[in-house]
Structure formats: C-alpha cells, structure tokens
Amino acid sequence: MSRRRAGRVAVVAVALAGGALLVAAALADTLTYYRTPAEVLGDPAGARERIRLGGDVVPGSLRRSGDLVVFRLAEGGREITVEQRGAPPETFREGEGAVVEGILSTDGVFRADHVVVRHGNEYGPVTASPEPAGAR
C-alpha cells in the first residue's frame, strides 16, 4: 500500500469514527428507558432521570381533582403512585394497561407528563348481530 493510499484510508477512518461519535451523542439524549414498577422500586436512583413506566392501572385507585389525575400502576405485585396533569386519553381506564413518561420524585410519586394506553395486538372482526325481524 502506498503512503498516499494509507493516508486516505486513515482520513476516511477518522471521519467515520467522528461521525459515529456524533450520532451516538445525539441518540444518548433522546433515549428513554422502559421500566416496570418493580424495577423502579428496586433501584429508585435509576428512575431519577426520565423513563417510561408501564403497568396496569390499579382498580379503585383513579382519582381526578381538577386537571390532576392520580392513579397507581402495578406490575408484578409492585405499585407506584402516578400523578399527571391534564386529561389522559379517552381509552384510559382502571384495570387497563398504561405507559407513562416522566420522573420519579424524591417523595416516591411518579410525576408523568405523558400517558399512553396499552392495548393488545389481537384484533378480530366484529361479529354481526342478528338482523332484526322485519328489517327488510
């Protein structure tokens, strides 16, 4: 390999490494990890940064006070109280799965600013109801 060619290869390698570092740095700021209540309660310090918390909304735990919505999310026998300001999605209900995005505060309450309702990925056709007599 000539010296000139080796120099070009080195320049290309440095440029690729620099680009990879820039992409990695940009992605690091946009990553939000998903955790369950058991994982968060097992390592509360890890939830001091923005995370997504998923679980089922505990029946009987949903309360609304003005624009504040308070409920508990449970997964694997562990529960975390969640506070969110603003209206949750219309399909948000007790007993249904939800994913919230926010930060665990020092008082143990998860402050969410975004709520997404989880749903199954099994869809089926709607069964037609029998046509009433004399409908034709």
Side-chain angles (χ1 to χ4, degrees):
M1 182 183 298
S2 70
R3 282 185 87 164
R4 189 174 183 172
R5 185 172 181 165
R8 286 183 187 164
V9 170
V11 168
V12 168
V14 169
L16 288 175
L21 285 175
L22 288 175
V23 169
L27 288 177
D29 291 339
T30 62
L31 291 177
T32 305
Y33 293 102
Y34 176 86
R35 304 215 192 274
T36 64
E39 291 171 338
V40 169
L41 293 174
D43 181 23
R48 300 285 185 245
E49 59 189 42
R50 188 170 183 78
I51 64 167
R52 288 185 181 148
L53 178 67
D56 294 329
V57 179
V58 175
S61 69
L62 181 61
R63 293 181 287 129
R64 296 172 196 255
S65 176
D67 69 337
L68 181 65
V69 179
V70 180
F71 55 94
R72 289 193 316 268
L73 273 183
E75 185 88 26
R78 307 291 301 265
E79 296 180 1
I80 292 182
T81 301
V82 177
E83 287 185 359
Q84 190 244 339
R85 294 215 173 265
E90 289 183 23
T91 54
F92 181 79
R93 293 186 188 99
E94 294 178 343
E96 298 288 329
V99 177
V100 296
E101 192 169 322
I103 296 174
L104 182 68
S105 62
T106 54
D107 61 357
V109 176
F110 193 85
R111 308 269 193 262
D113 55 14
H114 190 71
V115 176
V116 177
V117 175
R118 288 192 310 190
H119 59 81
N121 57 357
E122 297 176 14
Y123 294 97
V126 176
T127 57
S129 61
E131 197 169 297
R136 293 186 183 196

mmCIF file of all heavy atoms in Angstrom, residues 12-63:
data_model
loop_
_atom_site.group_PDB
_atom_site.id
_atom_site.type_symbol
_atom_site.label_atom_id
_atom_site.label_comp_id
_atom_site.label_asym_id
_atom_site.label_seq_id
_atom_site.Cartn_x
_atom_site.Cartn_y
_atom_site.Cartn_z
ATOM 1 N N VAL A 12 -10.345 8.679 6.023
ATOM 2 C CA VAL A 12 -11.705 8.131 5.972
ATOM 3 C C VAL A 12 -12.065 7.475 7.302
ATOM 4 O O VAL A 12 -13.182 7.644 7.821
ATOM 5 C CB VAL A 12 -11.853 7.136 4.794
ATOM 6 C CG1 VAL A 12 -13.147 6.359 4.896
ATOM 7 C CG2 VAL A 12 -11.767 7.873 3.467
ATOM 8 N N ALA A 13 -11.132 6.732 7.891
ATOM 9 C CA ALA A 13 -11.390 6.066 9.175
ATOM 10 C C ALA A 13 -11.670 7.086 10.267
ATOM 11 O O ALA A 13 -12.590 6.921 11.077
ATOM 12 C CB ALA A 13 -10.217 5.168 9.551
ATOM 13 N N VAL A 14 -10.905 8.167 10.300
ATOM 14 C CA VAL A 14 -11.112 9.203 11.318
ATOM 15 C C VAL A 14 -12.462 9.889 11.098
ATOM 16 O O VAL A 14 -13.205 10.154 12.049
ATOM 17 C CB VAL A 14 -9.954 10.226 11.294
ATOM 18 C CG1 VAL A 14 -10.285 11.450 12.139
ATOM 19 C CG2 VAL A 14 -8.669 9.570 11.789
ATOM 20 N N ALA A 15 -12.818 10.144 9.833
ATOM 21 C CA ALA A 15 -14.103 10.776 9.541
ATOM 22 C C ALA A 15 -15.260 9.880 9.958
ATOM 23 O O ALA A 15 -16.248 10.351 10.535
ATOM 24 C CB ALA A 15 -14.196 11.120 8.059
ATOM 25 N N LEU A 16 -15.180 8.594 9.677
ATOM 26 C CA LEU A 16 -16.234 7.650 10.078
ATOM 27 C C LEU A 16 -16.348 7.559 11.601
ATOM 28 O O LEU A 16 -17.453 7.528 12.155
ATOM 29 C CB LEU A 16 -15.981 6.274 9.477
ATOM 30 C CG LEU A 16 -16.219 6.162 7.973
ATOM 31 C CD1 LEU A 16 -15.802 4.773 7.473
ATOM 32 C CD2 LEU A 16 -17.659 6.440 7.625
ATOM 33 N N ALA A 17 -15.234 7.510 12.290
ATOM 34 C CA ALA A 17 -15.255 7.441 13.751
ATOM 35 C C ALA A 17 -15.865 8.709 14.338
ATOM 36 O O ALA A 17 -16.661 8.659 15.279
ATOM 37 C CB ALA A 17 -13.841 7.222 14.289
ATOM 38 N N GLY A 18 -15.528 9.859 13.768
ATOM 39 C CA GLY A 18 -16.099 11.122 14.237
ATOM 40 C C GLY A 18 -17.604 11.164 14.016
ATOM 41 O O GLY A 18 -18.363 11.600 14.884
ATOM 42 N N GLY A 19 -18.050 10.700 12.854
ATOM 43 C CA GLY A 19 -19.490 10.660 12.570
ATOM 44 C C GLY A 19 -20.221 9.724 13.516
ATOM 45 O O GLY A 19 -21.309 10.033 14.000
ATOM 46 N N ALA A 20 -19.620 8.586 13.794
ATOM 47 C CA ALA A 20 -20.242 7.633 14.716
ATOM 48 C C ALA A 20 -20.359 8.224 16.115
ATOM 49 O O ALA A 20 -21.374 8.048 16.796
ATOM 50 C CB ALA A 20 -19.439 6.335 14.748
ATOM 51 N N LEU A 21 -19.352 8.948 16.553
ATOM 52 C CA LEU A 21 -19.416 9.593 17.875
ATOM 53 C C LEU A 21 -20.507 10.647 17.921
ATOM 54 O O LEU A 21 -21.229 10.771 18.915
ATOM 55 C CB LEU A 21 -18.071 10.209 18.228
ATOM 56 C CG LEU A 21 -16.983 9.217 18.636
ATOM 57 C CD1 LEU A 21 -15.650 9.938 18.838
ATOM 58 C CD2 LEU A 21 -17.382 8.489 19.910
ATOM 59 N N LEU A 22 -20.646 11.426 16.852
ATOM 60 C CA LEU A 22 -21.700 12.444 16.813
ATOM 61 C C LEU A 22 -23.088 11.812 16.859
ATOM 62 O O LEU A 22 -23.981 12.277 17.565
ATOM 63 C CB LEU A 22 -21.553 13.315 15.565
ATOM 64 C CG LEU A 22 -20.378 14.287 15.577
ATOM 65 C CD1 LEU A 22 -20.265 14.999 14.225
ATOM 66 C CD2 LEU A 22 -20.532 15.306 16.690
ATOM 67 N N VAL A 23 -23.288 10.752 16.114
ATOM 68 C CA VAL A 23 -24.588 10.059 16.110
ATOM 69 C C VAL A 23 -24.871 9.463 17.483
ATOM 70 O O VAL A 23 -25.987 9.578 18.013
ATOM 71 C CB VAL A 23 -24.618 8.977 15.015
ATOM 72 C CG1 VAL A 23 -25.827 8.071 15.167
ATOM 73 C CG2 VAL A 23 -24.605 9.622 13.640
ATOM 74 N N ALA A 24 -23.880 8.832 18.091
ATOM 75 C CA ALA A 24 -24.067 8.231 19.419
ATOM 76 C C ALA A 24 -24.403 9.297 20.457
ATOM 77 O O ALA A 24 -25.268 9.091 21.315
ATOM 78 C CB ALA A 24 -22.816 7.463 19.830
ATOM 79 N N ALA A 25 -23.749 10.445 20.400
ATOM 80 C CA ALA A 25 -24.032 11.525 21.351
ATOM 81 C C ALA A 25 -25.437 12.064 21.150
ATOM 82 O O ALA A 25 -26.150 12.366 22.116
ATOM 83 C CB ALA A 25 -23.002 12.639 21.193
ATOM 84 N N ALA A 26 -25.879 12.200 19.905
ATOM 85 C CA ALA A 26 -27.222 12.701 19.627
ATOM 86 C C ALA A 26 -28.288 11.714 20.103
ATOM 87 O O ALA A 26 -29.315 12.107 20.653
ATOM 88 C CB ALA A 26 -27.382 12.974 18.138
ATOM 89 N N LEU A 27 -28.053 10.429 19.931
ATOM 90 C CA LEU A 27 -29.025 9.420 20.361
ATOM 91 C C LEU A 27 -29.085 9.297 21.875
ATOM 92 O O LEU A 27 -30.133 8.988 22.436
ATOM 93 C CB LEU A 27 -28.702 8.070 19.736
ATOM 94 C CG LEU A 27 -28.971 7.948 18.247
ATOM 95 C CD1 LEU A 27 -28.538 6.579 17.739
ATOM 96 C CD2 LEU A 27 -30.437 8.182 17.945
ATOM 97 N N ALA A 28 -27.987 9.519 22.558
ATOM 98 C CA ALA A 28 -27.964 9.380 24.014
ATOM 99 C C ALA A 28 -28.932 10.349 24.678
ATOM 100 O O ALA A 28 -29.528 10.034 25.706
ATOM 101 C CB ALA A 28 -26.554 9.606 24.540
ATOM 102 N N ASP A 29 -29.137 11.523 24.103
ATOM 103 C CA ASP A 29 -30.055 12.498 24.689
ATOM 104 C C ASP A 29 -31.514 12.168 24.406
ATOM 105 O O ASP A 29 -32.402 12.709 25.045
ATOM 106 C CB ASP A 29 -29.740 13.899 24.157
ATOM 107 C CG ASP A 29 -28.404 14.401 24.674
ATOM 108 O OD1 ASP A 29 -27.941 13.882 25.708
ATOM 109 O OD2 ASP A 29 -27.834 15.302 24.037
ATOM 110 N N THR A 30 -31.783 11.326 23.444
ATOM 111 C CA THR A 30 -33.164 11.028 23.081
ATOM 112 C C THR A 30 -33.659 9.690 23.617
ATOM 113 O O THR A 30 -34.831 9.384 23.470
ATOM 114 C CB THR A 30 -33.328 11.015 21.554
ATOM 115 O OG1 THR A 30 -32.517 9.985 21.005
ATOM 116 C CG2 THR A 30 -32.941 12.357 20.951
ATOM 117 N N LEU A 31 -32.806 8.905 24.242
ATOM 118 C CA LEU A 31 -33.217 7.603 24.743
ATOM 119 C C LEU A 31 -34.034 7.749 26.020
ATOM 120 O O LEU A 31 -33.682 8.509 26.913
ATOM 121 C CB LEU A 31 -32.002 6.730 25.034
ATOM 122 C CG LEU A 31 -31.203 6.264 23.824
ATOM 123 C CD1 LEU A 31 -29.993 5.469 24.291
ATOM 124 C CD2 LEU A 31 -32.059 5.425 22.904
ATOM 125 N N THR A 32 -35.135 7.029 26.089
ATOM 126 C CA THR A 32 -35.947 6.956 27.291
ATOM 127 C C THR A 32 -36.185 5.482 27.570
ATOM 128 O O THR A 32 -36.790 4.791 26.764
ATOM 129 C CB THR A 32 -37.291 7.681 27.078
ATOM 130 O OG1 THR A 32 -37.038 9.015 26.652
ATOM 131 C CG2 THR A 32 -38.092 7.709 28.365
ATOM 132 N N TYR A 33 -35.716 5.017 28.699
ATOM 133 C CA TYR A 33 -35.793 3.601 29.012
ATOM 134 C C TYR A 33 -37.164 3.239 29.573
ATOM 135 O O TYR A 33 -37.776 4.021 30.278
ATOM 136 C CB TYR A 33 -34.698 3.210 30.001
ATOM 137 C CG TYR A 33 -33.328 3.310 29.402
ATOM 138 C CD1 TYR A 33 -32.501 4.382 29.678
ATOM 139 C CD2 TYR A 33 -32.873 2.338 28.532
ATOM 140 C CE1 TYR A 33 -31.252 4.481 29.117
ATOM 141 C CE2 TYR A 33 -31.616 2.423 27.961
ATOM 142 C CZ TYR A 33 -30.817 3.506 28.262
ATOM 143 O OH TYR A 33 -29.578 3.601 27.701
ATOM 144 N N TYR A 34 -37.590 2.021 29.291
ATOM 145 C CA TYR A 34 -38.843 1.484 29.807
ATOM 146 C C TYR A 34 -38.539 0.664 31.054
ATOM 147 O O TYR A 34 -37.624 -0.152 31.048
ATOM 148 C CB TYR A 34 -39.501 0.596 28.746
ATOM 149 C CG TYR A 34 -40.755 -0.080 29.216
ATOM 150 C CD1 TYR A 34 -41.973 0.570 29.129
ATOM 151 C CD2 TYR A 34 -40.726 -1.357 29.746
ATOM 152 C CE1 TYR A 34 -43.139 -0.042 29.566
ATOM 153 C CE2 TYR A 34 -41.882 -1.979 30.186
ATOM 154 C CZ TYR A 34 -43.077 -1.317 30.085
ATOM 155 O OH TYR A 34 -44.227 -1.920 30.523
ATOM 156 N N ARG A 35 -39.310 0.901 32.111
ATOM 157 C CA ARG A 35 -39.109 0.151 33.349
ATOM 158 C C ARG A 35 -40.472 -0.237 33.926
ATOM 159 O O ARG A 35 -41.475 0.411 33.668
ATOM 160 C CB ARG A 35 -38.362 0.988 34.375
ATOM 161 C CG ARG A 35 -37.028 1.499 33.864
ATOM 162 C CD ARG A 35 -36.024 1.537 34.976
ATOM 163 N NE ARG A 35 -34.835 2.271 34.585
ATOM 164 C CZ ARG A 35 -33.825 1.730 33.944
ATOM 165 N NH1 ARG A 35 -33.855 0.481 33.597
ATOM 166 N NH2 ARG A 35 -32.768 2.449 33.635
ATOM 167 N N THR A 36 -40.472 -1.283 34.715
ATOM 168 C CA THR A 36 -41.687 -1.701 35.417
ATOM 169 C C THR A 36 -41.642 -1.130 36.832
ATOM 170 O O THR A 36 -40.568 -0.738 37.314
ATOM 171 C CB THR A 36 -41.774 -3.237 35.488
ATOM 172 O OG1 THR A 36 -40.688 -3.719 36.273
ATOM 173 C CG2 THR A 36 -41.738 -3.848 34.096
ATOM 174 N N PRO A 37 -42.781 -1.095 37.540
ATOM 175 C CA PRO A 37 -42.744 -0.618 38.932
ATOM 176 C C PRO A 37 -41.774 -1.403 39.801
ATOM 177 O O PRO A 37 -41.099 -0.812 40.647
ATOM 178 C CB PRO A 37 -44.198 -0.801 39.383
ATOM 179 C CG PRO A 37 -44.995 -0.629 38.138
ATOM 180 C CD PRO A 37 -44.160 -1.279 37.065
ATOM 181 N N ALA A 38 -41.666 -2.708 39.593
ATOM 182 C CA ALA A 38 -40.725 -3.495 40.403
ATOM 183 C C ALA A 38 -39.288 -3.053 40.152
ATOM 184 O O ALA A 38 -38.488 -2.952 41.084
ATOM 185 C CB ALA A 38 -40.895 -4.981 40.099
ATOM 186 N N GLU A 39 -38.947 -2.776 38.899
ATOM 187 C CA GLU A 39 -37.585 -2.322 38.591
ATOM 188 C C GLU A 39 -37.314 -0.953 39.201
ATOM 189 O O GLU A 39 -36.231 -0.696 39.720
ATOM 190 C CB GLU A 39 -37.381 -2.267 37.084
ATOM 191 C CG GLU A 39 -37.363 -3.618 36.425
ATOM 192 C CD GLU A 39 -37.378 -3.542 34.912
ATOM 193 O OE1 GLU A 39 -37.812 -2.506 34.357
ATOM 194 O OE2 GLU A 39 -36.960 -4.522 34.284
ATOM 195 N N VAL A 40 -38.310 -0.064 39.136
ATOM 196 C CA VAL A 40 -38.125 1.285 39.690
ATOM 197 C C VAL A 40 -37.996 1.231 41.204
ATOM 198 O O VAL A 40 -37.126 1.880 41.783
ATOM 199 C CB VAL A 40 -39.291 2.203 39.265
ATOM 200 C CG1 VAL A 40 -39.276 3.508 40.032
ATOM 201 C CG2 VAL A 40 -39.229 2.457 37.776
ATOM 202 N N LEU A 41 -38.846 0.439 41.863
ATOM 203 C CA LEU A 41 -38.771 0.355 43.320
ATOM 204 C C LEU A 41 -37.504 -0.374 43.762
ATOM 205 O O LEU A 41 -37.007 -0.128 44.859
ATOM 206 C CB LEU A 41 -40.015 -0.338 43.871
ATOM 207 C CG LEU A 41 -41.312 0.466 43.678
ATOM 208 C CD1 LEU A 41 -42.513 -0.349 44.116
ATOM 209 C CD2 LEU A 41 -41.248 1.790 44.429
ATOM 210 N N GLY A 42 -36.978 -1.243 42.931
ATOM 211 C CA GLY A 42 -35.730 -1.928 43.242
ATOM 212 C C GLY A 42 -34.509 -1.034 43.109
ATOM 213 O O GLY A 42 -33.503 -1.244 43.771
ATOM 214 N N ASP A 43 -34.597 -0.021 42.253
ATOM 215 C CA ASP A 43 -33.493 0.915 42.037
ATOM 216 C C ASP A 43 -34.060 2.314 41.816
ATOM 217 O O ASP A 43 -34.104 2.810 40.692
ATOM 218 C CB ASP A 43 -32.662 0.495 40.825
ATOM 219 C CG ASP A 43 -31.493 1.419 40.577
ATOM 220 O OD1 ASP A 43 -31.053 2.101 41.523
ATOM 221 O OD2 ASP A 43 -31.018 1.463 39.421
ATOM 222 N N PRO A 44 -34.543 2.963 42.882
ATOM 223 C CA PRO A 44 -35.171 4.284 42.722
ATOM 224 C C PRO A 44 -34.219 5.340 42.158
ATOM 225 O O PRO A 44 -34.654 6.267 41.479
ATOM 226 C CB PRO A 44 -35.618 4.671 44.131
ATOM 227 C CG PRO A 44 -35.450 3.478 44.973
ATOM 228 C CD PRO A 44 -34.570 2.517 44.262
ATOM 229 N N ALA A 45 -32.940 5.225 42.430
ATOM 230 C CA ALA A 45 -31.983 6.210 41.914
ATOM 231 C C ALA A 45 -31.934 6.175 40.392
ATOM 232 O O ALA A 45 -31.715 7.200 39.748
ATOM 233 C CB ALA A 45 -30.602 5.960 42.491
ATOM 234 N N GLY A 46 -32.169 5.005 39.809
ATOM 235 C CA GLY A 46 -32.166 4.879 38.353
ATOM 236 C C GLY A 46 -33.358 5.547 37.698
ATOM 237 O O GLY A 46 -33.349 5.792 36.502
ATOM 238 N N ALA A 47 -34.394 5.847 38.474
ATOM 239 C CA ALA A 47 -35.594 6.474 37.920
ATOM 240 C C ALA A 47 -35.614 7.973 38.151
ATOM 241 O O ALA A 47 -36.630 8.617 37.937
ATOM 242 C CB ALA A 47 -36.836 5.843 38.536
ATOM 243 N N ARG A 48 -34.509 8.531 38.606
ATOM 244 C CA ARG A 48 -34.457 9.981 38.799
ATOM 245 C C ARG A 48 -34.297 10.709 37.468
ATOM 246 O O ARG A 48 -34.425 11.909 37.393
ATOM 247 C CB ARG A 48 -33.323 10.363 39.738
ATOM 248 C CG ARG A 48 -33.450 9.762 41.099
ATOM 249 C CD ARG A 48 -34.511 10.454 41.953
ATOM 250 N NE ARG A 48 -34.526 9.913 43.290
ATOM 251 C CZ ARG A 48 -35.543 9.251 43.814
ATOM 252 N NH1 ARG A 48 -36.643 9.060 43.118
ATOM 253 N NH2 ARG A 48 -35.484 8.794 45.034
ATOM 254 N N GLU A 49 -33.992 9.959 36.434
ATOM 255 C CA GLU A 49 -33.968 10.543 35.096
ATOM 256 C C GLU A 49 -35.250 10.119 34.375
ATOM 257 O O GLU A 49 -35.964 9.241 34.821
ATOM 258 C CB GLU A 49 -32.741 10.084 34.323
ATOM 259 C CG GLU A 49 -32.670 8.580 34.168
ATOM 260 C CD GLU A 49 -31.343 8.133 33.598
ATOM 261 O OE1 GLU A 49 -30.312 8.675 34.029
ATOM 262 O OE2 GLU A 49 -31.361 7.261 32.732
ATOM 263 N N ARG A 50 -35.526 10.718 33.285
ATOM 264 C CA ARG A 50 -36.770 10.489 32.554
ATOM 265 C C ARG A 50 -36.842 9.035 32.070
ATOM 266 O O ARG A 50 -35.910 8.548 31.423
ATOM 267 C CB ARG A 50 -36.835 11.444 31.374
ATOM 268 C CG ARG A 50 -38.122 11.448 30.668
ATOM 269 C CD ARG A 50 -38.154 12.599 29.663
ATOM 270 N NE ARG A 50 -39.422 12.665 29.024
ATOM 271 C CZ ARG A 50 -40.508 13.185 29.566
ATOM 272 N NH1 ARG A 50 -40.436 13.708 30.772
ATOM 273 N NH2 ARG A 50 -41.648 13.200 28.934
ATOM 274 N N ILE A 51 -37.950 8.366 32.404
ATOM 275 C CA ILE A 51 -38.167 6.986 31.993
ATOM 276 C C ILE A 51 -39.615 6.814 31.552
ATOM 277 O O ILE A 51 -40.455 7.681 31.766
ATOM 278 C CB ILE A 51 -37.855 5.980 33.118
ATOM 279 C CG1 ILE A 51 -38.802 6.183 34.293
ATOM 280 C CG2 ILE A 51 -36.417 6.025 33.519
ATOM 281 C CD1 ILE A 51 -38.772 5.058 35.300
ATOM 282 N N ARG A 52 -39.878 5.658 30.968
ATOM 283 C CA ARG A 52 -41.245 5.217 30.690
ATOM 284 C C ARG A 52 -41.552 4.119 31.686
ATOM 285 O O ARG A 52 -40.775 3.181 31.841
ATOM 286 C CB ARG A 52 -41.376 4.682 29.271
ATOM 287 C CG ARG A 52 -41.317 5.764 28.261
ATOM 288 C CD ARG A 52 -41.562 5.248 26.889
ATOM 289 N NE ARG A 52 -41.459 6.350 25.955
ATOM 290 C CZ ARG A 52 -41.029 6.242 24.733
ATOM 291 N NH1 ARG A 52 -40.690 5.074 24.255
ATOM 292 N NH2 ARG A 52 -40.968 7.291 23.960
ATOM 293 N N LEU A 53 -42.685 4.259 32.363
ATOM 294 C CA LEU A 53 -43.107 3.310 33.371
ATOM 295 C C LEU A 53 -44.369 2.626 32.877
ATOM 296 O O LEU A 53 -45.347 3.292 32.533
ATOM 297 C CB LEU A 53 -43.367 4.046 34.689
ATOM 298 C CG LEU A 53 -43.861 3.214 35.858
ATOM 299 C CD1 LEU A 53 -42.781 2.249 36.316
ATOM 300 C CD2 LEU A 53 -44.284 4.127 36.992
ATOM 301 N N GLY A 54 -44.353 1.301 32.837
ATOM 302 C CA GLY A 54 -45.515 0.575 32.331
ATOM 303 C C GLY A 54 -46.104 -0.355 33.357
ATOM 304 O O GLY A 54 -45.401 -0.906 34.199
ATOM 305 N N GLY A 55 -47.413 -0.487 33.302
ATOM 306 C CA GLY A 55 -48.116 -1.395 34.198
ATOM 307 C C GLY A 55 -49.602 -1.297 33.982
ATOM 308 O O GLY A 55 -50.067 -0.661 33.031
ATOM 309 N N ASP A 56 -50.346 -1.922 34.871
ATOM 310 C CA ASP A 56 -51.805 -1.861 34.811
ATOM 311 C C ASP A 56 -52.303 -0.852 35.832
ATOM 312 O O ASP A 56 -51.788 -0.781 36.961
ATOM 313 C CB ASP A 56 -52.413 -3.229 35.116
ATOM 314 C CG ASP A 56 -52.071 -4.253 34.043
ATOM 315 O OD1 ASP A 56 -51.916 -3.847 32.868
ATOM 316 O OD2 ASP A 56 -51.961 -5.440 34.374
ATOM 317 N N VAL A 57 -53.321 -0.083 35.464
ATOM 318 C CA VAL A 57 -53.915 0.882 36.378
ATOM 319 C C VAL A 57 -54.708 0.096 37.419
ATOM 320 O O VAL A 57 -55.601 -0.683 37.079
ATOM 321 C CB VAL A 57 -54.828 1.873 35.621
ATOM 322 C CG1 VAL A 57 -55.454 2.858 36.588
ATOM 323 C CG2 VAL A 57 -54.033 2.593 34.540
ATOM 324 N N VAL A 58 -54.363 0.276 38.688
ATOM 325 C CA VAL A 58 -54.984 -0.484 39.769
ATOM 326 C C VAL A 58 -56.446 -0.066 39.906
ATOM 327 O O VAL A 58 -56.742 1.126 40.043
ATOM 328 C CB VAL A 58 -54.231 -0.242 41.100
ATOM 329 C CG1 VAL A 58 -54.930 -0.919 42.261
ATOM 330 C CG2 VAL A 58 -52.791 -0.697 40.976
ATOM 331 N N PRO A 59 -57.376 -1.036 39.858
ATOM 332 C CA PRO A 59 -58.792 -0.698 40.025
ATOM 333 C C PRO A 59 -59.049 -0.011 41.367
ATOM 334 O O PRO A 59 -58.530 -0.431 42.399
ATOM 335 C CB PRO A 59 -59.501 -2.057 39.953
ATOM 336 C CG PRO A 59 -58.561 -2.924 39.183
ATOM 337 C CD PRO A 59 -57.185 -2.444 39.560
ATOM 338 N N GLY A 60 -59.839 1.058 41.344
ATOM 339 C CA GLY A 60 -60.179 1.812 42.546
ATOM 340 C C GLY A 60 -59.155 2.865 42.922
ATOM 341 O O GLY A 60 -59.327 3.567 43.917
ATOM 342 N N SER A 61 -58.088 2.991 42.155
ATOM 343 C CA SER A 61 -57.037 3.955 42.519
ATOM 344 C C SER A 61 -57.130 5.259 41.737
ATOM 345 O O SER A 61 -56.431 6.216 42.073
ATOM 346 C CB SER A 61 -55.659 3.345 42.282
ATOM 347 O OG SER A 61 -55.396 3.179 40.898
ATOM 348 N N LEU A 62 -57.984 5.326 40.760
ATOM 349 C CA LEU A 62 -58.053 6.512 39.894
ATOM 350 C C LEU A 62 -58.849 7.617 40.574
ATOM 351 O O LEU A 62 -59.995 7.428 40.975
ATOM 352 C CB LEU A 62 -58.704 6.129 38.557
ATOM 353 C CG LEU A 62 -58.841 7.232 37.523
ATOM 354 C CD1 LEU A 62 -57.485 7.774 37.127
ATOM 355 C CD2 LEU A 62 -59.591 6.711 36.310
ATOM 356 N N ARG A 63 -58.210 8.784 40.723
ATOM 357 C CA ARG A 63 -58.861 9.963 41.293
ATOM 358 C C ARG A 63 -58.557 11.150 40.393
ATOM 359 O O ARG A 63 -57.473 11.258 39.831
ATOM 360 C CB ARG A 63 -58.332 10.274 42.696
ATOM 361 C CG ARG A 63 -58.700 9.238 43.729
ATOM 362 C CD ARG A 63 -58.174 9.586 45.106
ATOM 363 N NE ARG A 63 -56.710 9.366 45.106
ATOM 364 C CZ ARG A 63 -55.825 10.268 45.509
ATOM 365 N NH1 ARG A 63 -56.215 11.426 45.981
ATOM 366 N NH2 ARG A 63 -54.537 10.015 45.462
#
